[in-house]
Amino acid sequence: MTPPDTDAPLATIIDESVPTRPPSTTDRRAALAELRQQRPSRKNTTHRIARWLHVYTSMIALLIVLFFAVTGITLNHPTWVFGDEASETLESGTLPFATTTDDGNVDWLSIAEYVRTTYDVKGSVDNFSTTGSGDTASGVIVFLNPGYSADLNFDLASGDYDLRITQQGIVAVMNDLHKGRDAGSGWKWVIDVSAGFLVLISLTGLVMQFFLRKRRRSALTIAVLGGAVSIALMLVTLA
């Protein structure tokens, strides 16, 4: 054995003179436990992702969910108009062009665009039809929008028409938006996306409860009881 260098520091001499021991079983277990704590487990990763999705989807959907919650109450109570009554406007006149084309078909497009431009009629055409024949033939075009309707009746021979425009209050408009009735395809996408957010919020909320040991059992018990009560009320209503 080589004698230690007397000029080296004391700590170095001691470290070099003491033979190195292999780590014991206890030391290895402690090292492995520490390594596991440093590595994010699959459980912690799932909980972190669920919490992130739950928080940010909740913030995105907050106002949309609030809108559908409020309009759900007003839909359940259709008499709650809060003084916002519907208004009705009657217009009449004569179309400045022939109601039929050269081939004898009703010129629906020109008639519809004329009343849109002249009376600022909104909404999409819900239906159009003709009744009668000859000099008594007449046509009908119905325009619909959330909380809004316009009914045009016109005589095919003379071009005389009557237009009835009904504009309901803001509560009726919101109720129609809630149901997606007479709304465009863009609003239907809003409803679908909102429903998707609600599903995601619900699922991530349930996932988060599985990782809360102190509240997991009570939270899941309440969820099961709430679901059972809802199903029971549904069955009572349908009975």
Side-chain angles (χ1 to χ4, degrees), residues 109-124:
L109 179 59
S110 297
I111 297 172
E113 291 304 315
Y114 172 78
V115 294
R116 285 186 190 277
T117 304
T118 306
Y119 301 105
D120 194 26
V121 171
K122 299 179 294 184
S124 58

Side-chain angles (χ1 to χ4, degrees), residues 130-138 155-157:
T130 58
T131 58
S133 60
D135 294 338
T136 61
S138 61
D155 186 275
L156 287 177

